[in-house]
Amino acid sequence: VQLVESGGGSVQAGGSLRLSCVASGFTYSNYCMGWFRQAPGKGREAVARIDSDGKITYADSVKGRFTISQDNARTTLYLQMNSLNPEDTAMYYCAAEPPGGTCSPFWALYNDWGQGTQVTVSS
């Protein structure tokens, strides 16, 4: 299993970024896939998840601003981030929860992680 994120960068408040996560080595259509983030000195938090049936869940802090999606082949996961603010500054990771899980917001239940991509938003 390999997850590779890209698309991070530095933007000003109000700007947008689109993160991508390319998955290989497994059929992730059977998995819950999630985007998580971790800011310096803070815990890892779930940003958005999509389960094997396509059900999507967002953290309250990003609702209406972020959109999780995937390509038809379910090999690439995306996170479109609009109206970014400095509080969104963090390392962003994609992760896969094994089949049979609950698509939990708890990061420790996800077995496979990408290396992360840094998002920095300046005011």
Side-chain angles (χ1 to χ4, degrees):
V1 174
Q2 187 175 21
L3 300 171
V4 180
E5 302 99 332
S6 62
S10 297
V11 297
Q12 291 193 324
S16 299
L17 285 172
R18 188 192 196 202
L19 306 183
S20 298
C21 171
V22 178
S24 61
F26 70 113
T27 303
Y28 93 60
S29 59
N30 298 326
Y31 289 65
C32 169
M33 299 295 295
W35 284 101
F36 291 76
R37 67 185 180 187
Q38 187 165 17
K42 295 188 177 181
R44 190 166 295 191
E45 64 169 342
V47 174
R49 291 116 59 204
I50 182 166
D51 72 10
S52 58
D53 293 324
K55 179 184 175 183
I56 291 172
T57 306
Y58 295 102
D60 287 344
S61 60
V62 307
K63 280 180 182 176
R65 301 189 299 122
F66 291 12
T67 303
I68 188 172
S69 63
Q70 56 194 2
D71 67 343
N72 289 336
R74 293 194 176 185
T75 58
T76 305
L77 188 71
Y78 301 100
L79 186 68
Q80 177 67 43
M81 305 186 295
N82 299 328
S83 301
L84 285 161
N85 59 61
E87 290 70 38
D88 296 316
T89 295
M91 185 72 79
Y92 284 71
Y93 301 89
C94 69
E97 185 193 59
T102 62
C103 207
S104 170
F106 185 35
W107 63 268
L109 296 179
Y110 290 70
N111 287 351
D112 299 295
W113 293 83
Q115 81 288 352
T117 186
Q118 177 68 38
V119 171
T120 303
V121 185
S122 58
S123 58

CSV table of all heavy atoms in Angstrom, one decimal, residues 43-98:
chain,number,residue,atom,x,y,z
A,43,GLY,N,-2.8,18.0,18.0
A,43,GLY,CA,-3.1,16.6,17.6
A,43,GLY,C,-3.5,16.5,16.2
A,43,GLY,O,-3.8,17.5,15.5
A,44,ARG,N,-3.5,15.3,15.7
A,44,ARG,CA,-3.9,15.0,14.3
A,44,ARG,C,-5.5,15.0,14.3
A,44,ARG,O,-6.1,14.3,15.1
A,44,ARG,CB,-3.3,13.7,13.8
A,44,ARG,CG,-3.5,13.5,12.4
A,44,ARG,CD,-2.6,12.3,11.9
A,44,ARG,NE,-1.2,12.7,12.0
A,44,ARG,CZ,-0.2,12.0,11.5
A,44,ARG,NH1,-0.5,10.9,10.8
A,44,ARG,NH2,1.1,12.3,11.7
A,45,GLU,N,-6.0,15.7,13.4
A,45,GLU,CA,-7.5,15.8,13.3
A,45,GLU,C,-8.0,15.4,11.9
A,45,GLU,O,-7.4,15.7,10.9
A,45,GLU,CB,-8.0,17.2,13.7
A,45,GLU,CG,-7.6,18.3,12.7
A,45,GLU,CD,-8.3,19.6,12.9
A,45,GLU,OE1,-9.4,19.6,13.6
A,45,GLU,OE2,-7.9,20.6,12.4
A,46,ALA,N,-9.2,14.8,11.9
A,46,ALA,CA,-9.8,14.4,10.7
A,46,ALA,C,-10.4,15.7,10.0
A,46,ALA,O,-11.1,16.4,10.7
A,46,ALA,CB,-10.9,13.4,10.9
A,47,VAL,N,-10.1,15.8,8.8
A,47,VAL,CA,-10.7,17.0,8.0
A,47,VAL,C,-11.9,16.5,7.2
A,47,VAL,O,-12.9,17.2,7.2
A,47,VAL,CB,-9.6,17.5,7.1
A,47,VAL,CG1,-10.1,18.6,6.2
A,47,VAL,CG2,-8.4,18.1,7.9
A,48,ALA,N,-11.7,15.4,6.5
A,48,ALA,CA,-12.8,14.9,5.6
A,48,ALA,C,-12.6,13.4,5.3
A,48,ALA,O,-11.4,13.0,5.3
A,48,ALA,CB,-12.9,15.7,4.3
A,49,ARG,N,-13.7,12.7,5.3
A,49,ARG,CA,-13.6,11.3,5.0
A,49,ARG,C,-14.6,10.9,4.0
A,49,ARG,O,-15.7,11.5,3.9
A,49,ARG,CB,-13.8,10.4,6.3
A,49,ARG,CG,-12.7,10.5,7.3
A,49,ARG,CD,-13.2,11.2,8.6
A,49,ARG,NE,-14.3,10.4,9.2
A,49,ARG,CZ,-15.2,11.0,10.0
A,49,ARG,NH1,-15.1,12.3,10.2
A,49,ARG,NH2,-16.2,10.3,10.6
A,50,ILE,N,-14.3,9.8,3.2
A,50,ILE,CA,-15.3,9.3,2.3
A,50,ILE,C,-15.2,7.8,2.4
A,50,ILE,O,-14.2,7.2,2.3
A,50,ILE,CB,-15.0,9.8,0.8
A,50,ILE,CG1,-16.0,9.2,-0.1
A,50,ILE,CG2,-13.6,9.4,0.4
A,50,ILE,CD1,-16.0,9.9,-1.5
A,51,ASP,N,-16.4,7.2,2.7
A,51,ASP,CA,-16.4,5.7,2.9
A,51,ASP,C,-16.6,5.0,1.6
A,51,ASP,O,-16.7,5.6,0.5
A,51,ASP,CB,-17.4,5.3,4.0
A,51,ASP,CG,-18.9,5.4,3.5
A,51,ASP,OD1,-19.1,5.6,2.3
A,51,ASP,OD2,-19.7,5.3,4.4
A,52,SER,N,-16.6,3.7,1.7
A,52,SER,CA,-16.7,2.8,0.5
A,52,SER,C,-18.0,3.0,-0.3
A,52,SER,O,-18.1,2.7,-1.5
A,52,SER,CB,-16.5,1.4,0.8
A,52,SER,OG,-17.4,0.9,1.8
A,53,ASP,N,-19.0,3.5,0.4
A,53,ASP,CA,-20.3,3.8,-0.3
A,53,ASP,C,-20.4,5.2,-0.8
A,53,ASP,O,-21.4,5.6,-1.4
A,53,ASP,CB,-21.4,3.5,0.7
A,53,ASP,CG,-21.6,2.1,1.0
A,53,ASP,OD1,-21.3,1.2,0.2
A,53,ASP,OD2,-21.9,1.8,2.2
A,54,GLY,N,-19.3,6.0,-0.6
A,54,GLY,CA,-19.3,7.4,-1.1
A,54,GLY,C,-19.9,8.4,-0.1
A,54,GLY,O,-20.0,9.6,-0.4
A,55,LYS,N,-20.2,7.9,1.1
A,55,LYS,CA,-20.7,8.9,2.2
A,55,LYS,C,-19.5,9.7,2.6
A,55,LYS,O,-18.5,9.2,2.9
A,55,LYS,CB,-21.3,8.1,3.4
A,55,LYS,CG,-21.8,9.0,4.5
A,55,LYS,CD,-22.3,8.2,5.7
A,55,LYS,CE,-22.6,9.1,6.8
A,55,LYS,NZ,-23.0,8.4,8.0
A,56,ILE,N,-19.8,11.0,2.7
A,56,ILE,CA,-18.8,12.0,3.0
A,56,ILE,C,-19.1,12.7,4.4
A,56,ILE,O,-20.2,13.0,4.6
A,56,ILE,CB,-18.7,13.1,1.9
A,56,ILE,CG1,-18.1,12.4,0.6
A,56,ILE,CG2,-17.8,14.2,2.3
A,56,ILE,CD1,-18.1,13.3,-0.6
A,57,THR,N,-18.0,12.9,5.1
A,57,THR,CA,-18.1,13.6,6.4
A,57,THR,C,-17.0,14.6,6.5
A,57,THR,O,-15.9,14.3,6.2
A,57,THR,CB,-18.0,12.6,7.6
A,57,THR,OG1,-19.0,11.5,7.4
A,57,THR,CG2,-18.2,13.3,8.9
A,58,TYR,N,-17.4,15.8,6.9
A,58,TYR,CA,-16.4,16.9,7.1
A,58,TYR,C,-16.3,17.3,8.6
A,58,TYR,O,-17.3,17.2,9.3
A,58,TYR,CB,-16.8,18.1,6.3
A,58,TYR,CG,-16.8,17.9,4.8
A,58,TYR,CD1,-18.0,17.7,4.1
A,58,TYR,CD2,-15.6,17.9,4.1
A,58,TYR,CE1,-18.0,17.5,2.7
A,58,TYR,CE2,-15.6,17.8,2.7
A,58,TYR,CZ,-16.8,17.6,2.0
A,58,TYR,OH,-16.7,17.4,0.6
A,59,ALA,N,-15.2,17.8,8.9
A,59,ALA,CA,-15.0,18.5,10.2
A,59,ALA,C,-15.8,19.8,10.1
A,59,ALA,O,-15.9,20.4,9.1
A,59,ALA,CB,-13.6,18.7,10.5
A,60,ASP,N,-16.4,20.2,11.3
A,60,ASP,CA,-17.2,21.4,11.3
A,60,ASP,C,-16.4,22.6,10.8
A,60,ASP,O,-16.9,23.5,10.2
A,60,ASP,CB,-17.7,21.7,12.7
A,60,ASP,CG,-18.9,20.7,13.1
A,60,ASP,OD1,-19.4,20.0,12.2
A,60,ASP,OD2,-19.1,20.6,14.3
A,61,SER,N,-15.1,22.6,11.1
A,61,SER,CA,-14.3,23.7,10.8
A,61,SER,C,-14.0,23.9,9.3
A,61,SER,O,-13.6,25.0,8.9
A,61,SER,CB,-12.9,23.6,11.5
A,61,SER,OG,-12.2,22.4,11.1
A,62,VAL,N,-14.3,22.9,8.5
A,62,VAL,CA,-14.0,23.1,7.1
A,62,VAL,C,-15.3,23.0,6.2
A,62,VAL,O,-15.2,23.1,5.0
A,62,VAL,CB,-13.0,22.0,6.6
A,62,VAL,CG1,-11.7,22.1,7.5
A,62,VAL,CG2,-13.6,20.6,6.6
A,63,LYS,N,-16.4,22.7,6.9
A,63,LYS,CA,-17.7,22.6,6.1
A,63,LYS,C,-17.9,23.8,5.3
A,63,LYS,O,-17.8,24.9,5.8
A,63,LYS,CB,-18.8,22.3,7.0
A,63,LYS,CG,-18.9,20.8,7.5
A,63,LYS,CD,-20.1,20.7,8.4
A,63,LYS,CE,-20.2,19.2,9.0
A,63,LYS,NZ,-21.3,19.1,9.9
A,64,GLY,N,-18.3,23.6,4.0
A,64,GLY,CA,-18.6,24.7,3.2
A,64,GLY,C,-17.4,25.3,2.5
A,64,GLY,O,-17.5,26.1,1.6
A,65,ARG,N,-16.2,24.9,2.9
A,65,ARG,CA,-15.0,25.4,2.3
A,65,ARG,C,-14.1,24.3,1.6
A,65,ARG,O,-13.5,24.6,0.6
A,65,ARG,CB,-14.1,26.1,3.4
A,65,ARG,CG,-14.8,27.2,4.1
A,65,ARG,CD,-13.8,28.0,5.0
A,65,ARG,NE,-13.2,27.1,6.1
A,65,ARG,CZ,-11.9,26.9,6.3
A,65,ARG,NH1,-11.0,27.4,5.4
A,65,ARG,NH2,-11.5,26.1,7.2
A,66,PHE,N,-14.2,23.1,2.2
A,66,PHE,CA,-13.4,22.0,1.6
A,66,PHE,C,-14.3,21.0,1.0
A,66,PHE,O,-15.4,20.8,1.5
A,66,PHE,CB,-12.6,21.3,2.7
A,66,PHE,CG,-11.5,22.1,3.3
A,66,PHE,CD1,-11.3,23.5,3.1
A,66,PHE,CD2,-10.5,21.5,4.2
A,66,PHE,CE1,-10.2,24.2,3.7
A,66,PHE,CE2,-9.5,22.2,4.7
A,66,PHE,CZ,-9.3,23.5,4.5
A,67,THR,N,-13.8,20.4,0.0
A,67,THR,CA,-14.5,19.3,-0.7
A,67,THR,C,-13.6,18.1,-1.0
A,67,THR,O,-12.6,18.3,-1.6
A,67,THR,CB,-15.1,19.8,-2.1
A,67,THR,OG1,-15.9,21.0,-1.8
A,67,THR,CG2,-15.9,18.7,-2.7
A,68,ILE,N,-14.0,17.0,-0.5
A,68,ILE,CA,-13.3,15.7,-0.8
A,68,ILE,C,-13.9,15.0,-2.0
A,68,ILE,O,-15.2,15.0,-2.1
A,68,ILE,CB,-13.3,14.8,0.5
A,68,ILE,CG1,-12.4,13.6,0.3
A,68,ILE,CG2,-14.7,14.4,0.9
A,68,ILE,CD1,-12.2,12.8,1.6
A,69,SER,N,-13.1,14.5,-2.8
A,69,SER,CA,-13.6,13.8,-4.0
A,69,SER,C,-12.6,12.7,-4.4
A,69,SER,O,-11.5,12.7,-3.9
A,69,SER,CB,-13.9,14.7,-5.1
A,69,SER,OG,-12.8,15.4,-5.6
A,70,GLN,N,-13.0,11.9,-5.4
A,70,GLN,CA,-12.1,10.9,-5.9
A,70,GLN,C,-12.4,10.7,-7.4
A,70,GLN,O,-13.5,11.0,-7.8
A,70,GLN,CB,-12.3,9.6,-5.1
A,70,GLN,CG,-13.7,9.0,-5.1
A,70,GLN,CD,-13.9,7.9,-4.1
A,70,GLN,OE1,-13.1,7.6,-3.3
A,70,GLN,NE2,-15.1,7.4,-4.1
A,71,ASP,N,-11.4,10.2,-8.1
A,71,ASP,CA,-11.6,9.9,-9.5
A,71,ASP,C,-12.4,8.7,-9.7
A,71,ASP,O,-12.6,7.9,-8.7
A,71,ASP,CB,-10.3,9.9,-10.2
A,71,ASP,CG,-9.5,8.7,-9.8
A,71,ASP,OD1,-9.7,8.1,-8.8
A,71,ASP,OD2,-8.5,8.3,-10.6
A,72,ASN,N,-13.0,8.5,-10.9
A,72,ASN,CA,-13.8,7.3,-11.1
A,72,ASN,C,-13.1,6.0,-10.9
A,72,ASN,O,-13.8,5.0,-10.5
A,72,ASN,CB,-14.4,7.4,-12.5
A,72,ASN,CG,-15.4,8.5,-12.7
A,72,ASN,OD1,-16.0,8.9,-11.8
A,72,ASN,ND2,-15.6,9.0,-14.0
A,73,ALA,N,-11.9,5.9,-11.1
A,73,ALA,CA,-11.1,4.7,-11.0
A,73,ALA,C,-10.8,4.5,-9.5
A,73,ALA,O,-10.2,3.4,-9.1
A,73,ALA,CB,-9.8,4.7,-11.8
A,74,ARG,N,-11.1,5.4,-8.7
A,74,ARG,CA,-10.8,5.4,-7.2
A,74,ARG,C,-9.3,5.1,-7.0
A,74,ARG,O,-9.0,4.2,-6.2
A,74,ARG,CB,-11.7,4.3,-6.5
A,74,ARG,CG,-13.1,4.8,-6.5
A,74,ARG,CD,-13.9,3.9,-5.5
A,74,ARG,NE,-15.3,4.4,-5.4
A,74,ARG,CZ,-16.2,3.9,-4.6
A,74,ARG,NH1,-15.9,2.9,-3.7
A,74,ARG,NH2,-17.4,4.4,-4.5
A,75,THR,N,-8.5,5.8,-7.7
A,75,THR,CA,-7.0,5.7,-7.5
A,75,THR,C,-6.5,7.0,-6.9
A,75,THR,O,-5.3,7.0,-6.4
A,75,THR,CB,-6.3,5.3,-8.8
A,75,THR,OG1,-6.5,6.3,-9.8
A,75,THR,CG2,-6.7,3.9,-9.3
A,76,THR,N,-7.2,8.0,-7.0
A,76,THR,CA,-6.8,9.3,-6.6
A,76,THR,C,-7.8,10.0,-5.8
A,76,THR,O,-9.0,10.1,-6.2
A,76,THR,CB,-6.4,10.2,-7.8
A,76,THR,OG1,-5.4,9.6,-8.6
A,76,THR,CG2,-5.8,11.5,-7.3
A,77,LEU,N,-7.4,10.5,-4.6
A,77,LEU,CA,-8.3,11.2,-3.7
A,77,LEU,C,-7.9,12.7,-3.7
A,77,LEU,O,-6.7,13.0,-3.8
A,77,LEU,CB,-8.1,10.6,-2.3
A,77,LEU,CG,-9.0,11.1,-1.2
A,77,LEU,CD1,-10.4,10.6,-1.4
A,77,LEU,CD2,-8.5,10.7,0.2
A,78,TYR,N,-8.9,13.5,-3.7
A,78,TYR,CA,-8.6,15.0,-3.8
A,78,TYR,C,-9.2,15.7,-2.5
A,78,TYR,O,-10.2,15.2,-1.9
A,78,TYR,CB,-9.3,15.6,-5.0
A,78,TYR,CG,-8.8,14.9,-6.3
A,78,TYR,CD1,-9.6,14.0,-7.0
A,78,TYR,CD2,-7.6,15.3,-6.9
A,78,TYR,CE1,-9.1,13.4,-8.2
A,78,TYR,CE2,-7.1,14.8,-8.1
A,78,TYR,CZ,-7.9,13.8,-8.7
A,78,TYR,OH,-7.5,13.2,-9.9
A,79,LEU,N,-8.6,16.8,-2.3
A,79,LEU,CA,-9.2,17.7,-1.3
A,79,LEU,C,-9.1,19.1,-1.8
A,79,LEU,O,-8.0,19.7,-1.9
A,79,LEU,CB,-8.5,17.6,0.1
A,79,LEU,CG,-9.1,18.5,1.2
A,79,LEU,CD1,-10.5,17.9,1.6
A,79,LEU,CD2,-8.2,18.5,2.4
A,80,GLN,N,-10.2,19.7,-2.3
A,80,GLN,CA,-10.3,21.1,-2.7
A,80,GLN,C,-10.5,21.9,-1.5
A,80,GLN,O,-11.5,21.8,-0.8
A,80,GLN,CB,-11.4,21.2,-3.8
A,80,GLN,CG,-11.6,22.7,-4.2
A,80,GLN,CD,-10.4,23.2,-5.1
A,80,GLN,OE1,-9.9,22.4,-5.9
A,80,GLN,NE2,-10.0,24.4,-4.8
A,81,MET,N,-9.6,22.9,-1.3
A,81,MET,CA,-9.7,23.8,-0.2
A,81,MET,C,-9.8,25.2,-0.6
A,81,MET,O,-8.9,25.7,-1.3
A,81,MET,CB,-8.4,23.6,0.7
A,81,MET,CG,-8.1,22.2,1.1
A,81,MET,SD,-6.7,22.0,2.2
A,81,MET,CE,-5.4,22.6,1.2
A,82,ASN,N,-10.9,25.8,-0.3
A,82,ASN,CA,-11.2,27.2,-0.6
A,82,ASN,C,-11.3,28.0,0.6
A,82,ASN,O,-11.5,27.5,1.7
A,82,ASN,CB,-12.5,27.3,-1.4
A,82,ASN,CG,-12.5,26.5,-2.7
A,82,ASN,OD1,-11.4,26.4,-3.4
A,82,ASN,ND2,-13.6,26.0,-3.2
A,83,SER,N,-11.3,29.3,0.4
A,83,SER,CA,-11.4,30.3,1.5
A,83,SER,C,-10.5,29.9,2.7
A,83,SER,O,-10.9,29.9,3.8
A,83,SER,CB,-12.9,30.4,2.0
A,83,SER,OG,-13.7,30.7,1.0
A,84,LEU,N,-9.3,29.6,2.4
A,84,LEU,CA,-8.3,29.2,3.4
A,84,LEU,C,-8.0,30.3,4.3
A,84,LEU,O,-8.0,31.5,4.0
A,84,LEU,CB,-7.0,28.7,2.7
A,84,LEU,CG,-7.1,27.3,2.0
A,84,LEU,CD1,-6.0,27.2,1.0
A,84,LEU,CD2,-7.1,26.3,3.1
A,85,ASN,N,-7.8,30.0,5.6
A,85,ASN,CA,-7.4,30.9,6.6
A,85,ASN,C,-6.2,30.4,7.4
A,85,ASN,O,-5.8,29.2,7.2
A,85,ASN,CB,-8.6,31.2,7.5
A,85,ASN,CG,-9.1,30.0,8.2
A,85,ASN,OD1,-8.4,29.4,9.0
A,85,ASN,ND2,-10.4,29.7,8.0
A,86,PRO,N,-5.5,31.3,8.1
A,86,PRO,CA,-4.3,30.8,8.8
A,86,PRO,C,-4.5,29.6,9.7
A,86,PRO,O,-3.5,28.9,9.9
A,86,PRO,CB,-3.9,32.1,9.6
A,86,PRO,CG,-4.4,33.2,8.8
A,86,PRO,CD,-5.7,32.7,8.2
A,87,GLU,N,-5.7,29.4,10.2
A,87,GLU,CA,-5.9,28.3,11.1
A,87,GLU,C,-5.9,27.0,10.3
A,87,GLU,O,-5.9,25.9,10.9
A,87,GLU,CB,-7.3,28.4,11.8
A,87,GLU,CG,-7.4,29.5,12.9
A,87,GLU,CD,-7.3,30.9,12.3
A,87,GLU,OE1,-7.9,31.1,11.2
A,87,GLU,OE2,-6.7,31.8,12.9
A,88,ASP,N,-5.9,27.0,9.0
A,88,ASP,CA,-5.8,25.8,8.2
A,88,ASP,C,-4.4,25.4,8.0
A,88,ASP,O,-4.1,24.3,7.4
A,88,ASP,CB,-6.5,26.0,6.8
A,88,ASP,CG,-8.0,26.3,6.9
A,88,ASP,OD1,-8.6,25.6,7.7
A,88,ASP,OD2,-8.4,27.2,6.2
A,89,THR,N,-3.4,26.2,8.4
A,89,THR,CA,-2.0,25.8,8.3
A,89,THR,C,-1.7,24.6,9.0
A,89,THR,O,-1.9,24.4,10.2
A,89,THR,CB,-1.1,27.0,8.8
A,89,THR,OG1,-1.3,28.1,8.0
A,89,THR,CG2,0.3,26.6,8.8
A,90,ALA,N,-1.2,23.6,8.3
A,90,ALA,CA,-0.9,22.3,8.9
A,90,ALA,C,-0.2,21.4,7.9
A,90,ALA,O,-0.2,21.7,6.7
A,90,ALA,CB,-2.2,21.6,9.4
A,91,MET,N,0.3,20.2,8.4
A,91,MET,CA,0.7,19.2,7.4
A,91,MET,C,-0.6,18.4,7.2
A,91,MET,O,-1.3,18.0,8.1
A,91,MET,CB,1.8,18.3,8.1
A,91,MET,CG,2.3,17.2,7.1
A,91,MET,SD,3.3,17.9,5.8
A,91,MET,CE,4.8,18.2,6.7
A,92,TYR,N,-0.9,18.1,5.9
A,92,TYR,CA,-2.1,17.4,5.5
A,92,TYR,C,-1.7,16.0,5.0
A,92,TYR,O,-0.7,15.8,4.3
A,92,TYR,CB,-2.8,18.1,4.4
A,92,TYR,CG,-3.6,19.3,4.9
A,92,TYR,CD1,-3.0,20.4,5.4
A,92,TYR,CD2,-5.0,19.2,5.0
A,92,TYR,CE1,-3.7,21.5,5.9
A,92,TYR,CE2,-5.7,20.3,5.5
A,92,TYR,CZ,-5.1,21.5,5.9
A,92,TYR,OH,-5.8,22.5,6.4
A,93,TYR,N,-2.4,15.0,5.5
A,93,TYR,CA,-2.1,13.6,5.2
A,93,TYR,C,-3.4,12.9,4.6
A,93,TYR,O,-4.5,13.2,5.1
A,93,TYR,CB,-1.7,12.8,6.4
A,93,TYR,CG,-0.5,13.3,7.2
A,93,TYR,CD1,-0.7,14.3,8.2
A,93,TYR,CD2,0.8,12.8,6.9
A,93,TYR,CE1,0.5,14.8,8.9
A,93,TYR,CE2,1.9,13.3,7.6
A,93,TYR,CZ,1.7,14.2,8.6
A,93,TYR,OH,2.8,14.7,9.3
A,94,CYS,N,-3.2,12.0,3.7
A,94,CYS,CA,-4.3,11.1,3.4
A,94,CYS,C,-4.0,9.8,4.0
A,94,CYS,O,-2.8,9.4,4.3
A,94,CYS,CB,-4.5,11.0,1.9
A,94,CYS,SG,-3.2,10.1,1.0
A,95,ALA,N,-5.1,9.1,4.3
A,95,ALA,CA,-5.0,7.8,5.1
A,95,ALA,C,-6.1,6.9,4.7
A,95,ALA,O,-7.1,7.3,4.2
A,95,ALA,CB,-5.0,8.1,6.6
A,96,ALA,N,-5.8,5.6,4.9
A,96,ALA,CA,-6.8,4.5,4.6
A,96,ALA,C,-7.1,3.7,5.8
A,96,ALA,O,-6.2,3.3,6.5
A,96,ALA,CB,-6.2,3.6,3.5
A,97,GLU,N,-8.4,3.6,6.1
A,97,GLU,CA,-8.9,2.8,7.2
A,97,GLU,C,-9.2,1.4,6.6
A,97,GLU,O,-9.8,1.3,5.5
A,97,GLU,CB,-10.1,3.4,7.8
A,97,GLU,CG,-10.6,2.6,9.0
A,97,GLU,CD,-12.0,3.0,9.5
A,97,GLU,OE1,-12.9,2.9,8.7
A,97,GLU,OE2,-12.1,3.5,10.6
A,98,PRO,N,-8.8,0.3,7.2
A,98,PRO,CA,-9.0,-1.0,6.7
A,98,PRO,C,-10.5,-1.3,6.5
A,98,PRO,O,-11.3,-0.8,7.2
A,98,PRO,CB,-8.4,-1.9,7.7
A,98,PRO,CG,-7.4,-1.1,8.5
A,98,PRO,CD,-8.0,0.3,8.5
